[in-house]
């Protein structure tokens, strides 16, 4: 991964921003799993995509006859 | 002792009046009482509700037309059941308000005479492949009680394999129907993403969540699936497709179908018993064709990150307030997942779409793809590491290595169980995935039925006498 991330600093900053408290007991596991996610992200970064490659998450507009789309 | 009859057999007997729904349901309840101390598939047994419901079926003027008349079934405990809290495998949800009504799929099955007998064990919030639930206890594999049932729908597979019920429902986000089907030796169907409505079920990853059935015969699996089809406006991901029945086409055979084995990742990450199972299926179907999909490992990574982001965000309020109440097997993962940056997730969704387009192209020349459902047969409960492809990998996450790339792009899959593929443990089953293009569940089921008819695959009730 070219932009090597300081996971410890990121975890602390992101957790604080989100209002999450990472305890000493949780920290090794959180660091391990976040590192795994970072490895997955690095793998995805290696696939050359173009701006035309759209997201797999497609929004579907809600028709007025469904009201708010929920009961 | 077991409730060994298939759903179709029981329903036919109840329709004909040679068996009452009450007797069928009581037999199931008796089997659960006799066996579940060893299996731990059930987290709630709803005897009173079930017997009342059975009496209604027996008295119904529609009984002779009900396609699941008197058939006992159970659901993973993330399905809403009116009057009880929807646990989704957690301690946290135990104090939630009871569900006001049953989940849509549950209602559809009961409308055809099926009778719900209980709720089933699972990994907490469906995040796992082993059902080693710290709150409810591990679900044991009925074919070898020292081994995992697989997960996250472990209770759903184990209850069917143990002969407690002939039908169950589960969910599959990254492999949670296919992995326990494989390890417990049952049939399982993960339909196309968007086929069956998820209304009234506790979500995990909305972008990837599917619901589907488990059974001990292909006919039961197809019937249960057919009766659950149809859109529902309250699930925004559910497609507006009319019902496309599969049951009548089950005996269509495999003539004219183009079948191929998935190569690359799907063989590299499989142990000998998984390869043996796939090769046996390929031989039975008369194919030696190998198809390799591009960038499978990246597709798995995409599913992994989408799961991280949506699962972490969903539980953020509880992670802030009461992280200590999560299962030890999920807590640190959910905490880490909540921190995943948006750019990673957006990239994952783009890779998902890229992969779906490439696989669609491959599916222009093949109807059904074959791959192992799990890398190996069921490990012992508590196993931490697996040796696969010359690597030492974390056992719990690795059970989904071969299912995750497929559910990432929502393809329909039937898992079929084979036996004797692991010479060191011939009593253990292993599943093979039969994968088709979107909305072609009929092809998966047709091939499964042909393999069942040839005796290549089967789902016997476990021997729990000893």
């Amino acid at each position: 991964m070219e932009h090597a991330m300081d996971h410890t600093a990121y975890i602390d900053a992101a957790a604080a921003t989100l209002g999450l408290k990472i305890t000493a007991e949780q920290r090794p596991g959180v660091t391990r799993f976040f590192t795994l996610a970072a490895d997955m992200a690095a793998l995805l970064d290696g696939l050359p995509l173009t701006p035309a490659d759209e997201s797999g998450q497609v929004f579907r507009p809600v028709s007025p006859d469904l009201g708010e789309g929920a009961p | 002792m077991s409730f060994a009859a298939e759903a179709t057999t029981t329903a036919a007997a109840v329709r004909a009046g040679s068996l009452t729904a009450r007797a069928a349901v009581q037999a199931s309840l008796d089997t659960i009482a006799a066996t579940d101390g060893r299996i731990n598939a059930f987290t709630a047994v709803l005897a009173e509700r079930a017997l009342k419901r059975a009496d209604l079926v027996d008295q119904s003027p529609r009984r002779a037309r009900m396609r699941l008349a008197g058939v006992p079934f159970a659901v993973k405990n993330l399905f809403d059941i009116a009057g009880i809290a929807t646990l989704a495998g957690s301690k946290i949800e135990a104090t939630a308000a009871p569900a006001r009504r049953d989940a849509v799929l549950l209602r559809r099955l009961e409308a055809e005479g099926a009778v719900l007998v209980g709720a089933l064990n699972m990994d907490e919030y469906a995040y796992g492949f082993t059902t080693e639930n710290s709150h409810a206890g591990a679900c044991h594999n009925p074919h070898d009680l020292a081994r995992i049932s697989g997960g996250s729908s472990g209770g759903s597979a184990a209850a069917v394999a143990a002969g407690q019920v002939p039908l169950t429902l589960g969910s599959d986000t990254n492999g949670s129907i296919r992995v326990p089907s494989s390890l417990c030796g049952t049939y399982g169907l993960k339909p196309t993403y968007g086929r069956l409505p998820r209304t009234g079920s506790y979500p995990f990853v909305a972008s990837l969540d599917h619901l589907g059935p488990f059974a001990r015969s292909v006919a039961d699996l197809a019937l249960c699936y057919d009766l659950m089809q149809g859109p529902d406006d309250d699930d925004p991901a559910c497609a507006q497709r009319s019902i496309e029945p599969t049951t009548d086409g089950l005996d269509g055979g495999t003539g004219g179908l183009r079948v191929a084995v998935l190569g690359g990742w799907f063989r590299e990450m499989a142990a000998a018993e998984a390869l043996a199972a796939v090769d046996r299926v390929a031989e039975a179907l008369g194919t030696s064709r190998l198809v390799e999909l591009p960038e499978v490992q990246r597709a798995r990574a995409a599913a992994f990150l989408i799961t991280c982001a949506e699962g972490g965000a969903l539980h953020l309020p509880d992670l802030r307030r009461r992280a200590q109440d999560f299962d030890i097997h999920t807590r640190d993962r959910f905490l880490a997942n909540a921190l995943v940056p948006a750019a990673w997730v957006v990239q994952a969704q783009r890779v998902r779409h890229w992969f779906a387009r490439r696989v669609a192209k491959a599916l222009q020349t093949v109807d059904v793809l074959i791959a192992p459902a799990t890398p190996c047969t069921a490990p012992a409960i508590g196993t931490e590491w697996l040796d696969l492809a010359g690597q030492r990998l974390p056992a719990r996450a690795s059970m989904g290595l071969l299912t995750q790339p497929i559910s990432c792009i929502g393809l329909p899959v039937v898992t079929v169980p084979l036996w004797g593929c692991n010479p060191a443990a011939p009593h253990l089953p292993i599943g093979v995935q039969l994968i088709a293009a979107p909305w072609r569940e009929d092809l998966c089921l047709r091939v499964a039925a042909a393999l069942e008819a040839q005796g290549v695959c089967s789902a016997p009730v476990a021997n729990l006498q000893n």
Side-chain angles (χ1 to χ4, degrees):
Chain A
M1 193 171 176
E2 289 173 15
H3 47 291
M5 184 180 282
D6 179 346
H7 294 147
T8 305
Y10 177 84
I11 287 169
D12 287 343
T17 301
L18 290 167
L20 285 174
K21 181 171 165 46
I22 311 291
T23 67
E25 184 201 359
Q26 295 158 358
R27 180 167 289 276
V30 172
T31 302
R32 180 158 49 94
F33 291 119
F34 189 83
T35 301
L36 185 57
D39 291 344
M40 296 286 180
L43 191 60
L44 296 185
D45 264 352
L47 184 69
L49 296 178
T50 72
D53 285 304
E54 295 245 359
S55 170
Q57 193 163 40
V58 178
F59 175 73
R60 193 178 299 165
V62 179
S63 171
D65 58 5
L66 292 179
E68 293 182 353
Chain B
M1 178 181 185
S2 74
F3 188 86
E6 290 177 10
T8 43
T9 310
T10 297
V14 172
R15 279 197 301 270
S18 58
L19 175 72
T20 64
R22 174 172 269 267
V25 167
Q26 189 62 59
S28 171
L29 293 171
D30 291 346
T31 305
I32 295 165
T35 58
D36 209 48
R38 286 170 283 166
I39 307 296
N40 199 28
F42 280 79
T43 55
V45 178
L46 307 169
E48 189 182 338
R49 167 183 162 139
L51 291 169
K52 271 187 194 165
R53 180 81 202 175
D55 289 343
L56 288 175
V57 171
D58 284 327
Q59 294 155 14
S60 171
R62 289 182 52 243
R63 191 194 69 200
R65 296 192 304 277
M66 289 174 158
R67 298 185 70 188
L68 287 174
V71 173
F73 76 107
V75 296
K76 188 174 185 175
N77 74 23
L78 56 62
F79 285 80
D80 284 352
I81 298 172
I84 66 174
T86 306
L87 296 179
S90 74
K91 169 185 170 183
I92 290 170
E93 306 302 329
T95 53
R100 284 184 300 160
R101 65 188 308 201
D102 294 339
V104 162
L105 297 189
L106 202 160
R107 278 185 267 145
R108 288 180 179 177
L109 293 182
E110 289 210 323
E112 287 288 344
V115 178
L116 181 77
V117 298
L120 298 162
N121 203 353
M122 58 180 283
D123 287 292
E124 186 180 61
Y125 293 122
Y127 201 7
F129 290 120
T130 64
T131 314
E132 296 167 294
N133 187 300
S134 298
H135 311 303
C139 182
H140 297 255
N141 191 313
H143 294 287
D144 186 333
L145 297 173
R147 296 176 187 267
I148 62 167
S149 59
S152 63
S153 311
S156 305
V160 168
Q164 295 172 328
V165 282
L167 288 177
T168 59
L169 301 184
S171 67
D172 188 317
T173 302
N174 287 300
S176 287
I177 288 174
R178 292 162 289 160
V179 169
S181 286
S182 175
L183 302 189
C184 288
T186 72
Y187 294 95
L189 168 62
K190 183 204 78 62
T192 309
Y193 178 76
R195 171 73 87 174
L196 297 182
R198 303 165 304 179
T199 313
S201 65
Y202 199 102
F204 173 25
V205 181
S207 294
L208 297 168
D209 289 343
H210 309 65
L211 303 179
F214 295 77
R216 287 193 303 272
S217 76
V218 179
D220 281 4
L221 195 74
L223 177 61
C224 184
Y225 163 67
D226 281 355
L227 297 178
M228 295 191 293
Q229 287 189 52
D232 183 82
D233 289 336
D234 291 331
D235 177 356
C238 190
Q240 295 295 316
R241 292 181 75 91
S242 54
I243 295 169
E244 297 170 77
T246 60
T247 307
D248 291 346
L250 284 184
D251 57 1
T254 57
L257 289 183
R258 300 163 299 175
V259 181
V261 172
L262 276 176
W265 173 266
F266 294 96
R267 292 191 78 81
E268 291 158 14
M269 303 309 288
E273 63 262 34
L275 295 175
V278 165
D279 293 347
R280 214 187 279 177
V281 167
E283 188 183 353
L285 296 174
T287 186
S288 55
R289 185 177 164 198
L290 204 66
V291 165
E292 198 157 337
L293 303 176
E295 305 293 352
V296 175
Q297 193 175 359
R298 286 191 167 104
R300 188 219 168 202
F304 187 99
L305 281 172
I306 294 164
T307 299
C308 286
E310 293 190 28
L314 183 67
H315 296 292
L316 190 54
D318 284 323
L319 292 168
R320 286 188 183 119
R321 288 188 289 112
R322 49 189 303 190
Q324 74 283 359
D325 290 334
F326 281 76
D327 190 315
I328 192 70
H329 292 305
T330 68
R331 183 195 64 197
D332 295 353
R333 285 195 291 165
F334 274 128
L335 282 166
N337 293 352
L339 310 177
V340 164
W344 295 0
V345 189
V346 172
Q347 178 75 355
Q349 285 286 9
R350 294 173 74 212
V351 171
R352 179 191 196 192
H353 193 237
W354 182 97
F355 183 64
R357 288 170 63 92
R358 267 73 190 170
V359 175
K361 189 166 176 57
L363 286 167
Q364 289 173 352
T365 65
V366 63
D367 298 306
V368 174
L369 294 164
I370 309 168
T374 49
C376 56
T377 48
I381 291 171
T383 298
E384 296 289 342
W385 299 98
L386 280 185
D387 290 319
L388 267 182
Q391 305 169 62
R392 189 165 177 257
L393 299 171
R396 293 187 177 92
S398 297
M399 296 312 290
L401 282 171
L402 306 174
T403 49
Q404 218 163 353
I406 306 300
S407 37
C408 177
I409 53 171
L411 303 180
V413 185
V414 168
T415 301
V416 296
L418 282 87
W419 302 82
C421 298
N422 181 351
H427 64 299
L428 294 179
I430 189 162
V432 169
Q433 299 184 85
L434 306 173
I435 306 159
W439 317 114
R440 296 310 308 268
E441 288 85 350
D442 61 319
L443 298 182
C444 305
L445 288 161
R446 225 170 91 191
V447 173
L451 291 167
E452 183 184 47
Q454 288 181 56
V456 175
C457 53
S458 62
V461 171
N463 181 358
L464 292 166
Q465 296 298 321
N466 302 318

